[in-house]
Amino acid sequence: MSKKPIFIYDTTLRDGSQGEGVSFSLNDKLQIALRLAETGIDFIEGGYPLSNEKDEAFFKQIREHDLGGSQICAFGMTRRRSMKAQDDPGMKALVAAKSPGITVVGKTWDFHATEVLGVSLEENLAMIGESVEFLAENAHVIYDAEHFFDGFRANPEYAIKTLRAAAAGGAKVMALCDTNGGSLPEQIAAITTKAMEGLQDYPGVSFGIHCHNDGELAVANSLAAVDVGVTQVQGTINGIGERCGNADLISVIGNLGLKKEGYSVLGGEGLSHLTELSRFVYETANLQWRNGQAFVGQSAFAHKGGMHVHAINKASKTYEHIDPSLVGNERRILVSELSGRSNIIAVADKHSIQDDKEVQSKILAEVVRLENQGFQFENAGGSFDLLIKRVVGSFTPHFSPLKYRVVAGETSADERDVYSEAILKIRIGDQDVFNAAEGHGPVNALDTALREVLLPFYPQLRDMHLVDYKVRVVDNGAGTAAGTRVNIESGDKEETWGTIGVSDNIIEASFQALLDSVEYKLHKDNVTPAT
């Protein structure tokens, strides 16, 4: 049986950019649009060409790219009151954008028309119909019925009239908007059904849904609308947007493509690029990933409890609702004081300890001991690997730090000219080596001094670089004397790895993490210790 296609309409570049802390450059918008097209998104809303020069330039430049089957849409509002559509600057800008699709938003709520716009209900209908009719001569028109669900609850007869005005003008899709984001799935389903019944004499018109997430139900509401006949879902990648955001298209696509029966998305292609797309948008928007985000988050398929991991090892579906690879994600086994032997075995399979229960118990006991001190190995796989080597007796140090000193201060209090320098004494083989280095801060000075000492002995370290550095207070009740946890992520041409250090001295915690990072690199490359 053929599946019903559901068309995905992305408004990350317009509605998503209204989210707090989100600002896209012109190049950002172009790159995101290209990624969306590569993924197979059906409609890509580029912005409002009249609002700023950046959006105007976007529509000019995006025409130079092959977007495959994806359709760019310009977004705008109905004509101004007491003005002909063909004379309205906004209408002209939408046509000038030369996009194959145009999305125009109009007022559905009678209260909104009379009290916010200050127009009569008859004038509002005329604004909708005349705007759509003018735009439909130039593009495929999608009508966004703003506040449709609030408007229907307040005045159902008038809400349907606004849709009929748009349909009479030539709009091909009626996108029903839960603008306040406060509706429930059963309300969405019931009112959407009424809207469809009100336009039964327009068989060429289809329906869409545009939900905001103020009740944490935008995805559920979108799916409820699909179940009663909607064929287009609007939203943003990762759900970014104003207030609590929009429907997260990642979850919408994941549920429609993998969970709900009878529907297809993205032209029936696979969804293995979803995780990559999600993280690309986060990085481009300069936003932190949501670890717990469904389908694509780092923690979406992360398992910490020993009982869970034991079950996962036997049958993954016991604690995973899909195969992570279907959306480009991966399973992660976490190690902590909550873990059992199953976690240790799963993470440490390369150490051949599957049958050594005594060693497994020792590793677990060491993890518990260190976590009581503030260590966490969930994002410190490099340090955990070294911990296992130490427990099983296979760890051979490539160097031994003897002492270090870090000096930081001001050379000029008036000019706030600050400096940092580190002095190291390290034993490498049978040699004691001194070195000093300056840096941008004390940790960078330590890192520089350590590398300069080790490079003549271990040139492999030239390939290693710092990816991320994070500091977390372990015991905030102690104020400035609180313990600190430092996580360092490092990488080379083959992989990235995390290491950890904990101390009430942030420099010492950082140095611990740095040392582990270097040792992990040398061990994984099977470098023979210098003599």
Side-chain angles (χ1 to χ4, degrees):
M1 184 178 67
S2 61
K3 294 185 176 182
K4 180 179 181 180
I6 303 298
F7 300 98
I8 303 300
Y9 182 109
D10 180 274
T11 178
T12 302
L13 302 181
R14 199 270 309 173
D15 226 350
S17 68
Q18 296 179 16
E20 186 174 0
V22 178
S23 179
F24 296 124
S25 68
L26 173 59
N27 185 62
D28 291 339
K29 296 188 68 165
L30 291 169
Q31 293 304 312
I32 290 175
L34 293 175
R35 284 295 185 96
L36 293 171
E38 288 175 5
T39 306
I41 300 297
D42 301 288
F43 298 93
I44 302 169
E45 188 177 277
Y48 181 23
L50 186 66
S51 64
N52 57 74
E53 295 180 358
K54 179 171 60 181
D55 281 4
E56 184 179 356
F58 170 84
F59 287 102
K60 290 180 180 178
Q61 295 188 28
I62 198 64
R63 291 198 294 268
E64 301 173 4
H65 298 276
D66 180 7
L67 302 180
S70 298
Q71 187 176 111
I72 292 291
C73 296
F75 175 89
M77 295 169 283
T78 55
R79 69 158 174 84
R80 300 175 187 177
R81 61 182 180 180
S82 304
M83 181 178 286
K84 293 182 179 180
Q86 59 267 31
D87 297 330
D88 186 278
M91 296 284 102
K92 292 180 179 179
L94 288 172
V95 173
K98 297 182 180 179
S99 59
I102 295 177
T103 300
V104 60
V105 61
K107 307 302 181 188
T108 303
W109 195 355
D110 55 357
F111 171 82
H112 207 171
T114 58
E115 301 302 320
V116 178
L117 279 186
V119 300
S120 67
L121 298 183
E122 292 73 19
E123 173 68 359
N124 183 51
L125 293 175
M127 290 164 63
I128 294 170
E130 292 169 14
S131 298
V132 171
E133 184 177 11
F134 174 72
L135 296 174
E137 296 176 1
N138 300 276
H140 173 95
V141 175
I142 298 169
Y143 177 66
D144 266 12
E146 187 179 16
H147 288 101
F148 180 78
F149 295 93
D150 293 301
F152 188 92
R153 283 188 282 266
N155 188 336
E157 182 181 355
Y158 184 74
I160 296 298
K161 284 184 178 180
T162 64
L163 297 183
R164 294 184 63 83
K172 300 300 182 184
V173 180
M174 300 291 143
L176 310 181
C177 302
D178 186 28
T179 309
N180 283 339
S183 297
L184 299 173
E186 59 268 27
Q187 296 170 333
I188 294 287
I191 294 175
T192 298
T193 300
K194 292 291 185 182
M196 292 176 173
E197 292 172 353
L199 269 72
Q200 286 182 337
D201 52 336
Y202 287 95
V205 170
S206 59
F207 282 77
I209 186 71
H210 179 116
C211 294
H212 286 254
N213 201 37
D214 298 72
E216 195 67 30
L217 292 169
V219 171
N221 286 342
S222 299
L223 297 179
V226 168
D227 280 342
V228 296
V230 159
T231 57
Q232 182 191 95
V233 178
Q234 298 189 4
T236 63
I237 302 300
N238 301 323
I240 62 174
E242 194 171 24
R243 304 188 314 276
C244 302
N246 293 48
D248 183 355
L249 287 181
I250 297 294
S251 293
V252 169
I253 294 169
N255 280 297
L256 287 175
L258 299 173
K259 309 287 287 186
K260 293 181 74 66
E261 297 182 358
Y263 302 112
S264 69
V265 289
L266 307 184
E269 298 295 326
L271 311 184
S272 61
H273 296 298
L274 280 189
T275 299
E276 180 185 4
L277 174 64
S278 167
R279 293 176 185 178
F280 177 80
V281 172
Y282 275 129
E283 293 295 335
T284 305
N286 197 28
L287 297 173
Q288 290 290 328
W289 303 354
R290 284 190 290 127
N291 284 346
Q293 185 175 357
F295 293 99
V296 298
Q298 276 192 309
S299 301
F301 301 97
H303 307 282
K304 188 172 182 178
M307 180 179 67
H308 291 193
V309 175
H310 179 72
I312 285 289
N313 288 336
K314 291 190 173 183
S316 61
K317 66 181 181 181
T318 52
Y319 287 100
E320 290 177 349
H321 65 113
I322 63 167
D323 178 349
S325 65
L326 292 176
V327 292
N329 209 340
E330 61 183 2
R331 177 181 304 144
R332 295 170 61 233
I333 305 300
L334 309 180
V335 176
S336 78
E337 61 186 358
L338 300 179
S339 304
R341 290 192 179 93
S342 298
N343 298 56
I344 303 298
I345 294 171
V347 176
D349 56 352
K350 65 180 179 180
H351 294 278
S352 301
I353 62 169
Q354 291 87 343
D355 299 322
D356 196 331
K357 292 186 178 181
E358 182 179 353
V359 169
Q360 295 167 16
S361 296
K362 287 181 179 179
I363 293 171
L364 188 54
E366 184 66 1
V367 168
V368 172
R369 183 184 72 83
L370 290 172
E371 287 212 348
N372 285 335
Q373 297 177 17
F375 284 79
Q376 283 188 354
F377 293 97
E378 295 171 15
N379 294 308
S383 290
F384 180 66
D385 189 80
L386 296 178
L387 181 153
I388 294 174
K389 289 180 180 292
R390 291 184 176 105
V391 171
V392 301
S394 63
F395 176 79
T396 302
H398 291 80
F399 58 92
S400 300
L402 299 177
K403 64 179 180 180
Y404 71 89
R405 183 174 66 186
V406 177
V407 181
E410 293 178 339
T411 57
S412 171
D414 293 335
E415 299 179 7
R416 305 290 296 173
D417 186 13
V418 297
Y419 74 95
S420 296
E421 61 184 22
I423 302 170
L424 281 176
K425 182 180 181 181
I426 289 182
R427 180 165 294 161
I428 305 173
D430 57 1
Q431 299 182 53
D432 289 352
V433 186
F434 286 89
N435 190 42
E438 294 182 335
H440 300 288
V443 177
N444 179 243
L446 266 175
D447 184 31
T448 302
L450 182 63
R451 287 171 182 270
E452 290 180 356
V453 166
L454 295 176
L455 275 172
F457 299 89
Y458 304 115
Q460 297 86 351
L461 295 177
R462 295 187 189 278
D463 296 333
M464 179 179 151
H465 60 276
L466 178 71
V467 176
D468 200 4
Y469 172 85
K470 296 177 181 177
V471 178
R472 180 73 180 270
V473 175
V474 176
D475 179 15
N476 54 18
T480 56
T484 54
R485 178 191 303 128
V486 171
N487 285 95
I488 290 179
E489 186 177 1
S490 303
D492 58 16
K493 296 176 182 178
E494 285 77 36
E495 65 173 286
T496 61
W497 59 91
T499 54
I500 187 172
V502 174
S503 173
D504 55 6
N505 183 319
I506 190 173
I507 305 300
E508 170 61 21
S510 301
F511 194 45
Q512 291 175 15
L514 280 173
L515 295 176
D516 269 11
S517 185
V518 172
E519 280 286 13
Y520 179 83
K521 163 68 175 173
L522 296 175
H523 274 83
K524 84 177 186 70
D525 288 353
N526 294 316
V527 177
T528 301
T531 57

